Amino acid sequence: MPIISRRTLLKGSAAVAASFSLGAGLAARNGIAAPTPVLVKAQFTKARLTTDSITKKVMTYGLGDGMATGVPPVLRMKKGEPFAARLLNALDEPTTIHWHGMRIVNSMDGVPEMTQPYVYPGDGFDYAFTPPDAGTFWYHPHCNTLTQMGRGLTGMIVVENPDDPVFDTEIVLNLRDWRLGKGGEFLAPFKPRDAARGGTYGTVRTANWQQEPMHQAPAGGLVRIRLAATDVTRIYTLGIEGAAAMVVALDGNPVEAPFPLERLDFGPGQRVELVVRMPDDEGTIVRLGNFRGSNPFTIASITATGQSLKRDIRDVRPLPANPIAEADLSTAERIPLDFTATAEHAPSPSICGTIGYTFWAINKVPWPGDTADPVAPLSDLKLGKSYILQMRNRTPHAHPIHLHGMTFRILKSNTRTILPPPTDTILLQPDEQAELGLVADNPGDWLLHCHIIEHQKTGMTGYFRVA
Ligand code: C2O
Ligand code: CU
């Protein structure tokens, strides 16, 4: 991957201020009263990701102008209140920030070429928007993502709702793997053979950049746990041992009726919110685990501390719903979307990197990469109109298909009996056929892609144009 720099590193506040004016201008044009932006600096760091090695050239985000040392900060926002962040790029390649799952204005969506210019090393970009929904979201670059996300650039977002119930404590867990060799060095981010199948797995599994971290929570208390699968490949099957837990939200939206956690699949891009009732006895350990495949592992544990608060899990009520429009099925137009494997077409060169292969396609068209001249939209959607996306997974692999800027509801599927709340990501199971209802209520060009990043980068990407 060559180092690309449009100009030499900008020094001095005048130059930086000049480079920020574009984003701020966009924000102003969209009528957002931007508060003072939080400075989010994309940068290199070193990290201890295994017990006996230090990994160099890790990428992270830090708040403010200092050096960041670990996992990207949890960004906290408030539903309905303006938020602003100034991205500063201290990496050696272009980057952007995408606010995964957030229904915000198109110019803030972070897709280079499509919604904003590249942010070159030393440059910045002002993001400003008002989150319409409360819940758990996350942020990551949308440029050279297999490398940038693979090396660390995935962070959590909590959008608070003043109407939410209060819990005894809250734990936020950013789940991801790392592809590291024995000495802690980064391995090649993928193997072509695996990219053409389920994707290439990491070698070190972490939550908040720690292997099997141990948290604490009040004995007998109700703990809100927010998890996001920010890994580039891994699909989790979440379970809990040692306590009862209710699933209260999925992918940033409350479930209508909280249900007990048994085994729950969630793939790259997706989020789960649980309320766990901690055991009464101090020192008792609760484990969250991944039960997918033949080698289950512990994601994180929580130790009960102090005297029991004696809460009752039956007091867990549905969280207040987000203002998501329901599709009008009587007028909705159907859009077929077929997800297939392909061997045709070479990817185009891109400033945001290509991994050099084409393996996948949507409606037979493999995405050529982030270029100034993309393929035609999958479909032109009329602003305000309802649509039914008819998705067919014609492959033997699962694909977490993510739509930017809008939220859809899974209406039916040949593989599921329980339908989740509205979502931005559907974990399409092998050979699944699903119908999704959507109101095209956000104007702009919005990407639709598999969130297994190797699939995204080797063709399984397209976009809708809403106007
Ligand atoms: Cu999580 Cu195109 O994004
Ligand atoms: Cu995929």
Side-chain angles (χ1 to χ4, degrees), residues 264-334:
L264 185 67
D265 287 353
F266 73 120
Q270 297 195 286
R271 292 84 69 204
V272 177
E273 280 188 47
L274 305 174
V275 176
V276 174
R277 199 311 188 158
M278 291 300 292
D280 290 308
D281 293 335
E282 171 145 43
T284 311
I285 293 174
V286 175
R287 272 178 227 287
L288 285 168
N290 176 30
F291 295 88
R292 199 171 179 87
S294 43
N295 291 306
F297 61 84
T298 299
I299 292 170
S301 359
I302 314 162
T303 308
T305 58
Q307 269 224 320
S308 178
L309 297 178
K310 297 244 163 50
R311 305 280 188 232
D312 192 335
I313 190 128
R314 289 168 301 186
D315 290 341
V316 175
R317 296 271 168 267
L319 299 170
N322 286 319
I324 314 266
E326 293 292 342
D328 175 355
L329 302 182
S330 65
T331 61
E333 194 179 304
R334 290 174 174 268

Side-chain angles (χ1 to χ4, degrees), residues 141-158:
H142 228 286
C143 186
N144 199 22
T145 39
L146 194 57
T147 297
Q148 292 186 15
M149 291 168 62
R151 286 186 175 241
L153 292 178
T154 68
M156 305 276 296
I157 297 172
V158 171

Side-chain angles (χ1 to χ4, degrees), residues 98 100 138 140 142 402 404 447 449 451 456:
H98 169 60
H100 181 118
W138 63 294
H140 62 79
H142 228 286
H402 169 50
H404 287 212
L447 278 186
H449 63 84
H451 226 289
Q456 175 193 358

